[in-house]
Amino acid sequence: MIVLDYKDRRPIYEQIVDKISELILNGVLKPDEKMPSVRNLAMELSINPNTIQRAYGELERRGFLYSVKGKGNFVSDNKELLEIRQIEIIKDLSRQIQQAKEYRIQKEEICEMVNQIYGGGQDNDRNS
């Protein structure tokens, strides 16, 4: 579920926040799904429970998790979070396309790359 990179310069809790956020946004963790307890996840990852507690706190602050006293942490409904992330990605993609245009990368090259990524190369067969 979560693999930590000890060579990464980011703190461990930030890596955990990023990984869990990604799992939630990709639909691997479903809304209202119970998260592992702080103690269990700390043991699984062989790290201090305070690190997990800090990560869960940050995820709750960002709206990815909610806690129920005495029951644990649960995945929030992530539709709005997914929409926000999609808007961020589109803005980033727009900036990258603008930069590609400035460096004279042809529109056809970008479209071909998009077709390969989305269609696994199959869309190119349709265009031939």
Side-chain angles (χ1 to χ4, degrees):
M1 181 169 151
I2 296 174
V3 178
L4 300 174
D5 180 2
Y6 292 99
K7 294 178 184 175
D8 192 325
R9 292 180 176 214
R10 295 175 302 151
I12 298 295
Y13 89 94
E14 282 184 18
Q15 291 183 49
I16 294 168
V17 168
D18 289 347
K19 302 278 186 185
I20 292 176
S21 300
E22 187 177 308
L23 291 170
I24 292 170
L25 291 174
N26 288 333
V28 176
L29 296 173
K30 307 288 186 213
D32 300 319
E33 184 174 335
K34 187 174 186 334
M35 294 295 295
S37 72
V38 169
R39 182 176 290 138
N40 286 344
L41 189 53
M43 285 181 7
E44 182 181 320
L45 297 175
S46 300
I47 60 175
N48 189 310
N50 292 332
T51 304
I52 301 299
Q53 188 61 47
R54 185 172 182 187
Y56 278 6
E58 181 62 21
L59 286 161
E60 187 172 354
R61 188 186 70 72
R62 293 184 188 182
F64 287 98
L65 298 181
Y66 65 92
S67 61
V68 177
K69 193 154 181 90
K71 302 260 184 196
N73 294 288
F74 296 84
V75 176
S76 296
D77 183 10
N78 53 21
K79 289 176 189 159
E80 289 179 26
L81 296 170
L82 181 58
E83 289 173 10
I84 290 168
R85 184 65 182 129
Q86 288 172 340
I87 290 168
E88 290 172 357
I89 290 170
I90 289 170
K91 286 179 182 177
D92 288 344
L93 186 56
S94 178
R95 283 191 287 270
Q96 290 294 317
I97 292 171
Q98 185 60 42
Q99 189 174 17
K101 182 178 174 185
E102 291 168 5
Y103 282 95
R104 298 192 261 329
I105 296 173
Q106 298 300 307
K107 181 170 99 173
E108 292 75 21
E109 288 180 70
I110 294 170
C111 290
E112 184 177 322
M113 190 180 303
V114 169
N115 286 336
Q116 287 176 351
I117 291 169
Y118 271 89
Q122 298 167 352
D123 287 348
N124 289 339
D125 295 341
R126 270 192 253 150
N127 295 334
S128 302

